[in-house]
Short mmCIF file of all heavy atoms in Angstrom, two decimals:
data_model
loop_
_atom_site.label_atom_id
_atom_site.label_comp_id
_atom_site.label_asym_id
_atom_site.label_seq_id
_atom_site.Cartn_x
_atom_site.Cartn_y
_atom_site.Cartn_z
N ALA A 37 -4.73 -10.61 -46.16
CA ALA A 37 -3.89 -11.24 -45.13
C ALA A 37 -3.50 -10.18 -44.10
O ALA A 37 -3.61 -8.94 -44.35
CB ALA A 37 -2.63 -11.87 -45.71
N PHE A 38 -3.09 -10.55 -42.85
CA PHE A 38 -2.62 -9.75 -41.88
C PHE A 38 -1.14 -9.33 -42.21
O PHE A 38 -0.41 -10.16 -42.77
CB PHE A 38 -2.62 -10.44 -40.49
CG PHE A 38 -3.96 -10.68 -39.98
CD1 PHE A 38 -4.56 -12.04 -40.00
CD2 PHE A 38 -4.72 -9.69 -39.53
CE1 PHE A 38 -5.72 -12.29 -39.50
CE2 PHE A 38 -6.03 -9.98 -39.02
CZ PHE A 38 -6.49 -11.24 -39.03
N THR A 39 -0.88 -8.09 -41.91
CA THR A 39 0.50 -7.62 -42.10
C THR A 39 1.37 -8.23 -40.93
O THR A 39 0.97 -8.65 -39.84
CB THR A 39 0.59 -6.11 -42.13
OG1 THR A 39 0.23 -5.67 -40.80
CG2 THR A 39 -0.27 -5.57 -43.17
N LEU A 40 2.71 -8.14 -41.24
CA LEU A 40 3.63 -8.71 -40.17
C LEU A 40 3.54 -7.79 -38.92
O LEU A 40 3.66 -8.37 -37.73
CB LEU A 40 5.04 -8.56 -40.79
CG LEU A 40 6.25 -9.12 -39.94
CD1 LEU A 40 6.05 -10.58 -39.46
CD2 LEU A 40 7.51 -8.99 -40.60
N VAL A 41 3.38 -6.45 -39.06
CA VAL A 41 3.31 -5.58 -37.93
C VAL A 41 2.06 -6.01 -37.02
O VAL A 41 2.18 -6.08 -35.82
CB VAL A 41 3.21 -4.15 -38.38
CG1 VAL A 41 2.97 -3.29 -37.15
CG2 VAL A 41 4.55 -3.80 -39.06
N GLU A 42 0.85 -6.32 -37.70
CA GLU A 42 -0.25 -6.65 -36.86
C GLU A 42 -0.05 -7.95 -36.14
O GLU A 42 -0.40 -8.13 -34.98
CB GLU A 42 -1.48 -6.79 -37.93
CG GLU A 42 -1.96 -5.64 -38.47
CD GLU A 42 -2.99 -5.76 -39.70
OE1 GLU A 42 -2.93 -6.82 -40.35
OE2 GLU A 42 -3.80 -4.95 -39.73
N LEU A 43 0.58 -8.95 -36.78
CA LEU A 43 0.84 -10.17 -36.18
C LEU A 43 1.81 -9.96 -34.99
O LEU A 43 1.60 -10.56 -33.90
CB LEU A 43 1.44 -11.18 -37.11
CG LEU A 43 0.38 -11.68 -38.17
CD1 LEU A 43 1.15 -12.58 -39.10
CD2 LEU A 43 -0.68 -12.45 -37.47
N LEU A 44 2.88 -9.20 -35.03
CA LEU A 44 3.77 -8.99 -34.04
C LEU A 44 3.15 -8.19 -32.83
O LEU A 44 3.43 -8.56 -31.70
CB LEU A 44 4.95 -8.12 -34.56
CG LEU A 44 5.91 -8.93 -35.46
CD1 LEU A 44 6.97 -7.95 -36.05
CD2 LEU A 44 6.58 -10.05 -34.73
N VAL A 45 2.33 -7.29 -33.18
CA VAL A 45 1.59 -6.56 -32.10
C VAL A 45 0.68 -7.63 -31.23
O VAL A 45 0.68 -7.62 -30.06
CB VAL A 45 0.65 -5.47 -32.60
CG1 VAL A 45 -0.22 -4.90 -31.58
CG2 VAL A 45 1.57 -4.36 -33.09
N VAL A 46 -0.03 -8.46 -31.94
CA VAL A 46 -0.87 -9.47 -31.34
C VAL A 46 -0.03 -10.42 -30.49
O VAL A 46 -0.36 -10.68 -29.26
CB VAL A 46 -1.70 -10.31 -32.30
CG1 VAL A 46 -2.38 -11.49 -31.69
CG2 VAL A 46 -2.79 -9.34 -32.91
N VAL A 47 1.12 -10.87 -30.98
CA VAL A 47 1.97 -11.78 -30.28
C VAL A 47 2.53 -11.10 -28.98
O VAL A 47 2.58 -11.65 -27.86
CB VAL A 47 3.11 -12.36 -31.13
CG1 VAL A 47 4.16 -12.98 -30.28
CG2 VAL A 47 2.54 -13.26 -32.17
N ALA A 48 2.96 -9.78 -29.13
CA ALA A 48 3.43 -9.02 -27.98
C ALA A 48 2.39 -8.94 -26.84
O ALA A 48 2.63 -9.06 -25.72
CB ALA A 48 3.95 -7.69 -28.47
N VAL A 49 1.19 -8.59 -27.27
CA VAL A 49 0.15 -8.37 -26.22
C VAL A 49 -0.20 -9.69 -25.55
O VAL A 49 -0.38 -9.68 -24.34
CB VAL A 49 -1.21 -7.74 -26.95
CG1 VAL A 49 -2.35 -7.77 -25.98
CG2 VAL A 49 -0.89 -6.36 -27.42
N LEU A 50 -0.22 -10.79 -26.34
CA LEU A 50 -0.52 -12.06 -25.70
C LEU A 50 0.59 -12.49 -24.78
O LEU A 50 0.41 -13.02 -23.72
CB LEU A 50 -0.69 -13.23 -26.81
CG LEU A 50 -1.99 -13.14 -27.63
CD1 LEU A 50 -1.94 -14.14 -28.73
CD2 LEU A 50 -3.23 -13.24 -26.66
N GLY A 51 1.85 -12.26 -25.20
CA GLY A 51 2.92 -12.54 -24.22
C GLY A 51 2.95 -11.73 -23.06
O GLY A 51 3.13 -12.22 -21.82
N LEU A 52 2.56 -10.39 -23.11
CA LEU A 52 2.46 -9.67 -21.87
C LEU A 52 1.45 -10.19 -20.96
O LEU A 52 1.50 -10.27 -19.80
CB LEU A 52 2.13 -8.21 -22.28
CG LEU A 52 2.00 -7.10 -21.16
CD1 LEU A 52 3.29 -7.06 -20.47
CD2 LEU A 52 1.52 -5.84 -21.68
N LEU A 53 0.23 -10.44 -21.55
CA LEU A 53 -0.88 -11.02 -20.74
C LEU A 53 -0.51 -12.33 -20.09
O LEU A 53 -0.83 -12.62 -18.92
CB LEU A 53 -2.19 -11.19 -21.63
CG LEU A 53 -2.84 -9.90 -21.98
CD1 LEU A 53 -3.94 -10.22 -23.02
CD2 LEU A 53 -3.32 -9.08 -20.88
N LEU A 54 0.12 -13.25 -20.82
CA LEU A 54 0.57 -14.49 -20.27
C LEU A 54 1.60 -14.37 -19.08
O LEU A 54 1.49 -15.08 -18.14
CB LEU A 54 1.16 -15.38 -21.42
CG LEU A 54 1.51 -16.81 -21.10
CD1 LEU A 54 0.32 -17.56 -20.59
CD2 LEU A 54 2.27 -17.48 -22.17
N SER A 55 2.52 -13.44 -19.27
CA SER A 55 3.54 -13.26 -18.24
C SER A 55 2.85 -12.67 -16.95
O SER A 55 3.26 -13.16 -15.87
CB SER A 55 4.60 -12.29 -18.69
OG SER A 55 4.02 -10.98 -18.87
N ILE A 56 1.82 -11.89 -17.13
CA ILE A 56 1.14 -11.37 -15.89
C ILE A 56 0.37 -12.44 -15.17
O ILE A 56 0.46 -12.66 -13.95
CB ILE A 56 0.16 -10.21 -16.27
CG1 ILE A 56 0.97 -8.97 -16.74
CG2 ILE A 56 -0.90 -9.81 -15.25
CD1 ILE A 56 0.14 -7.92 -17.39
N VAL A 57 -0.29 -13.35 -15.95
CA VAL A 57 -1.05 -14.41 -15.40
C VAL A 57 -0.06 -15.39 -14.71
O VAL A 57 -0.43 -15.91 -13.56
CB VAL A 57 -1.92 -15.09 -16.53
CG1 VAL A 57 -2.42 -16.50 -16.01
CG2 VAL A 57 -3.05 -14.20 -17.00
N VAL A 58 1.02 -15.74 -15.28
CA VAL A 58 1.92 -16.77 -14.69
C VAL A 58 2.55 -16.18 -13.47
O VAL A 58 2.61 -16.86 -12.49
CB VAL A 58 3.04 -17.07 -15.78
CG1 VAL A 58 4.22 -17.86 -15.05
CG2 VAL A 58 2.50 -17.94 -16.86
N THR A 59 2.83 -14.90 -13.42
CA THR A 59 3.41 -14.31 -12.15
C THR A 59 2.34 -14.39 -11.02
O THR A 59 2.71 -14.62 -9.88
CB THR A 59 3.77 -12.83 -12.46
OG1 THR A 59 4.73 -12.86 -13.52
CG2 THR A 59 4.33 -12.18 -11.29
N GLN A 60 1.09 -14.11 -11.40
CA GLN A 60 0.08 -14.04 -10.32
C GLN A 60 -0.17 -15.42 -9.86
O GLN A 60 -0.31 -15.64 -8.67
CB GLN A 60 -1.17 -13.34 -10.77
CG GLN A 60 -1.07 -11.95 -11.03
CD GLN A 60 -0.80 -11.23 -9.80
OE1 GLN A 60 -1.35 -11.55 -8.72
NE2 GLN A 60 0.03 -10.29 -9.83
N PHE A 61 -0.09 -16.41 -10.71
CA PHE A 61 -0.30 -17.76 -10.27
C PHE A 61 0.74 -18.34 -9.43
O PHE A 61 0.47 -19.05 -8.43
CB PHE A 61 -0.47 -18.62 -11.62
CG PHE A 61 -0.87 -20.12 -11.23
CD1 PHE A 61 -2.02 -20.34 -10.78
CD2 PHE A 61 0.21 -21.12 -11.55
CE1 PHE A 61 -2.31 -21.70 -10.50
CE2 PHE A 61 -0.28 -22.39 -11.33
CZ PHE A 61 -1.43 -22.80 -10.79
#
Side-chain angles (χ1 to χ4, degrees):
F38 293 107
T39 65
L40 182 59
V41 172
E42 290 171 330
L43 291 175
L44 288 175
V45 167
V46 168
V47 168
V49 168
L50 288 176
L52 180 66
L53 291 174
L54 184 64
S55 67
I56 290 170
V57 168
V58 167
T59 303
Q60 290 299 319
F61 183 69

